[in-house]
Amino acid sequence: MRLTIDAGKCTGHARCWETAPDVFDIDDHGYALPLDREVHEPLDEAVRAGIAACPERAISVH
Ligand code: SF4
């Protein structure tokens, strides 16, 4: 499974990075940097927390 960020939905809240800085990274304006990372079930606590923290639902696992 892949963890990705939809740049078209990201509006730069930086909440993913604030919640899980080991998983997510942001640019100087608070937008999440592109991410395409392999993840496995059950998801890490940090991954789940970062997904839940995004108000735009820009982070997905598929
Ligand atoms: S929390 Fe969501 S909208 Fe905010 S920077 Fe992260 S991916 Fe983008």
Side-chain angles (χ1 to χ4, degrees):
M1 294 176 24
R2 309 296 299 181
L3 176 69
T4 61
I5 296 176
D6 183 340
K9 291 182 178 177
C10 177
T11 54
H13 300 282
R15 292 185 189 173
C16 53
W17 171 75
E18 289 173 350
T19 304
D22 291 339
V23 179
F24 302 96
D25 204 0
I26 56 170
D27 66 15
D28 291 342
H29 304 286
Y31 287 80
L33 294 176
L35 181 67
D36 184 3
R37 172 176 170 161
E38 184 79 21
V39 293
H40 303 281
E41 294 280 6
L43 296 175
D44 285 358
E45 175 69 23
V47 172
R48 283 192 284 117
I51 292 171
C54 179
E56 308 300 334
R57 299 188 181 279
I59 307 168
S60 60
V61 175
H62 52 92

